[in-house]
Amino acid sequence: DAGVIQSPRHEVTEMGQEVTLRCKPISGHDYLFWYRQTMMRGLELLIYFNNNVPIDDSGMPEDRFSAKMPNASFSTLKIQPSEPRDSAVYFCASSPYRTASYEQYFGPGTRLTVT
Amino acid sequence: GNSVTQMEGPVTLSEEAFLTINCTYTATGYPSLFWYVQYPGEGLQLLLKATKADDKGSNKGFEATYRKETTSFHLEKGSVQVSDSAVYFCALSDQGSGYSTLTFGKGTMLLVSP
């Protein structure tokens, strides 16, 4: 099993540009999560999906952030326009369990730097 | 609401030393408890878990016991190795409200020197 796949692994962009992060969950997993990790705030849950439907997006910091899951094998997190304070490591995770409360499998993350 | 508090790091130890990383939690229901580990440059991976009071989770020489009376889930290892250097996250999942997600602590960095 390839695990959760994220791309790109590193992204450097200028303030004001659009950034799209991509995630392929493990096949057969019902839940997909997007997290952001920074030194100051730790690990924050941004949004999660169940069977491709967004369940809770209360962690999305602003309207500049949006996430989609058009099918069971692909999700995107978009930031438009990007700002320096968006610099962080963004993780995607997936889970096979019905209640989304058990083990989550994390991807390697995308390190985003906004200059 | 739910919350997890971990001891601040970094924790610096010599190889073969005993490790304890403290974790306490606040939850409205009956949570399951987890320890995740993040090695440099990687995502988090599950280290161990416990789903009810007095359960002991164990893996790779690490152990943690679910203590409901003290709302704690401290991580221990009898003899650490350099390869254990990583960031350790305590987390809980409270299923009382139906849909449930993981609440993570801020993480504790462990540095083990030869």
Side-chain angles (χ1 to χ4, degrees):
Chain A
D1 195 335
V4 176
I5 299 173
Q6 291 187 246
S7 64
R9 292 293 311 275
H10 302 274
E11 177 78 39
V12 180
T13 191
E14 292 184 348
M15 182 174 61
Q17 296 298 306
E18 177 180 295
V19 175
T20 299
L21 311 181
R22 297 173 175 80
C23 175
K24 176 179 170 56
I26 294 173
S27 177
H29 284 195
D30 300 317
Y31 286 85
L32 184 139
F33 307 82
W34 282 101
Y35 292 89
R36 178 172 68 176
Q37 185 180 39
T38 61
M39 289 294 292
M40 291 295 293
R41 303 171 70 94
L43 197 63
E44 303 172 275
L45 176 64
L46 301 177
I47 184 171
Y48 76 98
F49 296 82
N50 176 220
N51 292 323
N52 312 337
V53 176
I55 302 301
D56 185 351
D57 66 355
S58 61
M60 297 285 263
E62 300 172 32
D63 290 345
R64 299 184 295 107
F65 286 71
S66 63
K68 294 182 179 179
M69 192 165 186
N71 57 61
S73 59
F74 183 66
S75 177
T76 59
L77 178 67
K78 184 176 294 186
I79 308 173
Q80 166 63 22
S82 58
E83 297 183 2
R85 59 196 168 116
D86 302 330
S87 296
V89 181
Y90 291 81
F91 289 104
C92 175
S94 67
S95 173
Y97 293 99
R98 288 174 55 85
T99 61
S101 60
Y102 270 77
E103 180 172 0
Q104 295 182 14
Y105 295 77
F106 281 73
T110 295
R111 181 174 295 277
L112 173 65
T113 303
V114 184
T115 60
Chain B
N2 298 333
S3 67
V4 175
T5 303
Q6 292 180 234
M7 60 188 292
E8 288 199 23
V11 173
T12 304
L13 295 173
S14 297
E15 205 164 26
E16 299 183 1
F18 184 86
L19 168 71
T20 300
I21 299 178
N22 291 336
C23 171
T24 57
Y25 67 88
T26 301
T28 54
Y30 300 95
S32 297
L33 301 174
F34 307 84
W35 278 100
Y36 279 76
V37 59
Q38 182 180 26
Y39 297 103
E42 298 183 11
L44 282 70
Q45 54 185 276
L46 181 67
L47 180 60
L48 53 84
K49 66 184 180 185
T51 59
K52 61 183 186 296
D54 299 325
D55 268 2
K56 177 185 284 188
S58 61
N59 186 25
K60 300 180 181 180
F62 291 89
E63 294 182 340
T65 301
Y66 188 163
R67 302 288 189 197
K68 186 178 178 183
E69 64 275 14
T70 54
T71 62
S72 65
F73 192 55
H74 304 323
L75 182 68
E76 297 182 335
K77 187 176 185 183
S79 176
V80 294
Q81 305 300 311
V82 172
S83 58
D84 293 327
S85 297
V87 181
Y88 293 82
F89 292 87
C90 186
L92 70 82
S93 173
D94 187 349
Q95 298 176 288
S97 57
Y99 282 118
S100 178
T101 57
L102 293 175
T103 300
F104 286 92
K106 290 188 178 297
T108 301
M109 178 178 288
L110 170 65
L111 300 172
V112 181
S113 57

